[in-house]
Amino acid sequence: MSNKVLVIGGGPAGLEAARSAAELGGEVILLEKRDRLGGTPDREGYAKLTHHWRDASEAMAELASAVTNHARVEVKYNAEVKGMSGSAGNFEVQIEAGGVAESLNVGSIIIATGFQHFDPGRATQYYNYYTFPDVITLTDLEKMLKEHNVVRPSNGQPPKKIAFIQCVGSRDRQIGNEYCSKVCCGIASKQAIELREQLPDSKVMIFYIDMRMYGYWENEIYWKAQEQHKVNYVKGVISEVLRKGDQLLIRGEDTTMSRPMEVTMDLVVLSVGMEPSAGTRAIAQLMGVKQNKYGFIEAGGEGGLDTVATSVPGIFVAGAAAGPADLNDSISSAGLAAARAMALVRA
Amino acid sequence: MAQKYEKAIAIEKENVIVDGVDVSGHWNRMFEQRVIFEYTPELIEKVASIPNAESFANCYQCAKCVAVCPVDVVGNYGPRKLYRYAQTGLDLTEAPELWLCTTCANCLRVCPKEVNMVKIMPAVREQAILEGKFVPAELQQAFENTAKSGNPLGQPQRKRDAWIQSAGVPVPIIKDLGRPVDVLWYVGSYPSYHPRGIDAACAAARIFTALGIDFAILGKEEKDDADSQRLAGEKGLFEMMAEYNIETFNKYEWKEMVVTGPHELNAFKNVYPKYGFERPVVHYTTFLARHLDQLKPMLKHPVNKKITYHDPCYLGRHNGEYEAPRKLLEAIPGVELVEMQRNRENGYCCGGGGGGMWMDSFTAKHTTMRLSEKRAMEAASTGADVLAVACPFEVSRFTDAVKSTGNEHVDVLDILELLDRSMRGE
């Protein structure tokens, strides 16, 4: 029997799982693939978080320092899992950290290997992400917003007309991602607000199938974007992006007007959704944890309410490794995973 | 209505051949631009930047308003559509759509975003008037009549109290009375001048007298409240009339004001306070319902009729009075009260509010039938013999509407007239 908890992944969910387990008295080993903590928000250079409009780097640093400053958490950087054997209460996990192979004996495991952004090259629509420099993704725009330097990549000039296209890579049977990625409506609206702040003369429009602003995102982000920042929403998603002169021509149907639309834009932002990260797919296979048809780790247990349980007893999942999740979701599930992992090693 | 919200000029060709078929004719006007080439958030902003019209920009297109918009029932309209038209090229300040809203407030009742057309429409109309944009000629006429004659009908001021000759009871004029009264009865323009309005005024005079109310009217000093002119965009005219009226009301001593019309109630109770007039004002239905115990024994003669009651927007939705009119009708022996499907909070507008009273010909060009006609048909469908009303705009509107829709068998009567009939027998 081991009383140690292994957390795999140093993003928001992994950091919170490690911190919570340590605060509950556990001995925690946190594995991070990169040489720094902070996960996708850090790696992709997120600007502001949808929650409380916080600076993303600052928020991630806060989560990280709670872990790095904790005596009962050992962080291993440049680490990768190579193999696993054993069962709940007594897992042997072979890792390689900084080029050094090692075997860890742990009682329970929390997988927090997260998601990756959908690659718009896979979209069935002709969005021409890889053809037109002025077609970018939420992630690309996030970096520009962080730098306070939003320009058209084609000519370095600030865009005057900007369109967001929602549901790129989500809710699509052909692509294989039938699920809603949950956060893109909120992120696009958040970015639209930031665009209007940074480029007050710009027209910002969001083209959507359904706006899915659950909970407080409705009033805190969607209503704010429309009412205070004059972001315009149009129901009817864009099917193709073409070129017209040095601008982009977006084509679609404006459904509530029942009219075709062919409107020129300076910058088109694809609201790409979430897919399981390469790390999530790999760890699931390596550990024999069941994945759902989309590649995310299946969670919920038999009755669906054991929301952090995987198909393997003693292995739990936190954050977006289990499916699309916002930061609140990720951190909440991480706390629960820590509690469940600790309950096991203490039994 | 066809899609005519693009500024593009309609294509009208002498000869049009489509797939080998000659479709020449006037109706090829319908080939208008369909494709949206540009979105115009600036035209939403143009409206929303007008003080009191800010909420226009808040629409998130749920469309709850459209199903309850009385104009959409007979046409193609509704607040959410106006938002989209603005977003796709319509300048509301110069569009016919600006003049179709009756400010009935049914959209506001259901709007999750509190987009308030009752505030938006008057503000944008005022702007359009100030900028010299299109204003329906007949509305312009009503404005001019109000300014010149003190009433939208253009009737002479000196004849304002001529109706009292036919009341059959003395109707005291407060100036001549020379003493304080309990009730100052503000008669209103239509009950003072319109033949069917006068019938209701005379009935009211007889009822007040029978109840022994100590009342008086302003007579030749009474002028229009101008609330509907305000809602139609003439705030300047409204303020001028309000100033005169408040000064006149304050000249005399009285305890309570009773008004014949819901629009006057709205003016004096909800808008005049912003101009310094804060006195008790009630609609006649509320007032008479308070005297019901005394009134009931006087209602001796049965009125053996099936009656349906139309809720005036400005008595019901705008001022919350739904029960008093019904209590009065139920107090009349022999009356069987039946409800139309759309009643109380969801009452269907007669089309007279917000200046609609003076835009019937204009509105007719943009709708398939009058709102009053739609409502008259709904009333007839209940099997009622009588359509009872409590707003002086409505008697004339519905009397026309029952005729034009072939429902002459439905009598349109003010509640005052029905009470009077029961008191006197007929």
Side-chain angles (χ1 to χ4, degrees), chain A residues 174-189:
Chain A
Q174 286 209 53
I175 288 170
N177 298 345
E178 293 161 323
Y179 51 85
C180 164
S181 288
K182 222 174 179 181
V183 301
C184 333
C185 287
I187 306 297
S189 298

Side-chain angles (χ1 to χ4, degrees), chain A residues 300-320:
Chain A
E302 271 186 26
L305 296 180
D306 196 356
T307 54
V308 296
T310 69
S311 61
V312 179
I315 302 182
F316 304 94
V317 62

Side-chain angles (χ1 to χ4, degrees), chain B residues 204-426:
Chain B
R206 292 191 287 264
I207 295 165
F208 293 157
T209 304
L211 286 169
I213 308 289
D214 174 34
F215 75 97
I217 66 168
L218 288 163
K220 293 180 180 66
E221 287 186 286
E222 187 184 285
K223 285 188 180 180
D224 198 76
D225 61 290
D227 201 40
S228 295
Q229 291 87 329
R230 172 183 69 85
L231 293 159
E234 249 298 5
K235 196 177 168 191
L237 175 62
F238 169 79
E239 288 182 340
M240 188 182 88
M241 300 295 287
E243 195 185 339
Y244 167 86
N245 284 331
I246 292 170
E247 204 183 296
T248 309
F249 298 160
N250 287 338
K251 266 171 41 185
Y252 301 104
E253 281 188 64
W254 46 271
K255 289 181 186 150
E256 185 175 29
M257 187 191 287
V258 174
V259 294
T260 325
H263 296 275
E264 290 78 355
L265 174 72
N266 192 63
F268 304 150
K269 197 178 124 200
N270 301 331
V271 193
Y272 279 35
K274 288 171 198 145
Y275 299 86
F277 175 77
E278 285 183 79
R279 300 285 305 275
V281 182
V282 290
H283 186 250
Y284 82 81
T285 53
T286 313
F287 180 77
L288 291 181
R290 257 181 9 217
H291 290 81
L292 202 56
D293 289 344
Q294 199 192 340
L295 186 63
K296 245 181 186 166
M298 298 177 185
L299 304 174
K300 286 179 193 142
H301 305 277
V303 177
N304 293 315
K305 302 272 186 193
K306 201 176 195 183
I307 296 181
T308 191
Y309 168 66
H310 165 84
D311 286 280
C313 304
Y314 276 83
L315 185 62
R317 268 190 301 276
H318 282 271
N319 287 291
E321 181 62 273
Y322 301 106
E323 298 313 319
R326 290 178 168 80
K327 277 185 197 158
L328 292 172
L329 289 169
E330 281 167 346
I332 301 171
V335 164
E336 182 195 345
L337 190 62
V338 291
E339 293 287 355
M340 288 182 269
Q341 283 205 48
R342 286 179 279 220
N343 63 61
R344 293 185 172 85
E345 287 86 348
N346 193 30
Y348 187 84
C349 176
C350 78
M357 187 68 188
W358 311 302
M359 287 187 272
D360 274 323
S361 306
F362 169 79
T363 307
K365 288 183 204 148
H366 299 272
T367 48
T368 55
M369 68 167 73
R370 288 182 182 175
L371 278 66
S372 53
E373 292 173 326
K374 189 77 194 169
R375 187 58 158 172
M377 287 161 73
E378 190 178 352
S381 74
T382 64
D385 312 304
V386 174
L387 171 55
V389 299
C391 170
F393 284 179
E394 286 159 0
V395 187
S396 65
R397 301 188 69 73
F398 286 136
T399 303
D400 291 347
V402 290
K403 281 183 200 149
S404 63
T405 58
N407 290 298
E408 296 90 339
H409 60 281
V410 179
D411 273 338
V412 180
L413 294 168
D414 197 293
I415 291 176
L416 288 165
E417 297 175 275
L418 285 159
L419 292 170
D420 183 50
R421 283 187 188 186
S422 179
M423 272 174 50
R424 303 196 305 151
E426 196 164 301

Side-chain angles (χ1 to χ4, degrees), chain A residues 129-198:
Chain A
Y129 177 72
Y130 289 108
T131 313
F132 302 148
D134 296 335
V135 178
I136 62 173
T137 64
L138 287 180
T139 336
D140 300 325
L141 178 59
E142 191 72 24
K143 288 190 186 105
M144 290 200 250
L145 288 165
K146 193 178 178 106
E147 303 291 320
H148 282 254
N149 185 33
V150 177
V151 293
R152 302 177 66 196
S154 64
N155 63 8
Q157 298 299 309
K160 289 199 175 67
K161 292 165 68 184
I162 305 156
F164 286 83
I165 303 176
Q166 295 307 108
C167 297
V168 177
S170 304
R171 308 174 68 198
D172 189 318
R173 187 171 276 135
Q174 286 209 53
I175 288 170
N177 298 345
E178 293 161 323
Y179 51 85
C180 164
S181 288
K182 222 174 179 181
V183 301
C184 333
C185 287
I187 306 297
S189 298
K190 182 214 74 148
Q191 291 189 348
I193 290 172
E194 291 173 290
L195 279 172
R196 293 275 301 138
E197 284 171 344
Q198 293 187 20

Side-chain angles (χ1 to χ4, degrees), chain A residues 262-285:
Chain A
E262 293 188 1
V263 182
T264 54
M265 290 286 162
D266 297 325
L267 189 68
V268 169
V269 186
L270 306 179
S271 289
V272 288
M274 290 187 176
E275 291 190 326
S277 67
T280 293
R281 292 177 193 272
I283 204 82
Q285 303 233 318

Side-chain angles (χ1 to χ4, degrees), chain A residues 161 203 205 207 218 222-223 226-227 230 232-234 254 256-264, chain B residues 3 6 34-39 41-42 44-45 57-60 80 83-85 87-88 112-113:
Chain A
K161 292 165 68 184
K203 277 189 201 177
M205 309 209 53
F207 295 89
E218 175 76 17
Y222 183 16
W223 291 22
Q226 191 195 25
E227 296 179 1
K230 314 302 176 195
N232 271 235
Y233 290 82
V234 172
D254 185 317
T256 66
M257 296 289 279
S258 230
R259 291 173 62 184
M261 52 175 157
E262 293 188 1
V263 182
T264 54
Chain B
Q3 298 285 356
E6 204 67 48
R34 277 190 75 225
V35 179
I36 295 166
F37 290 117
E38 194 58 277
Y39 284 101
E42 62 273 16
I44 294 175
E45 266 318 288
N58 298 354
C59 174
Y60 65 5
R80 86 128 197 111
Y83 177 94
R84 294 308 326 277
Y85 296 156
Q87 204 178 29
T88 51
K113 287 290 227 65

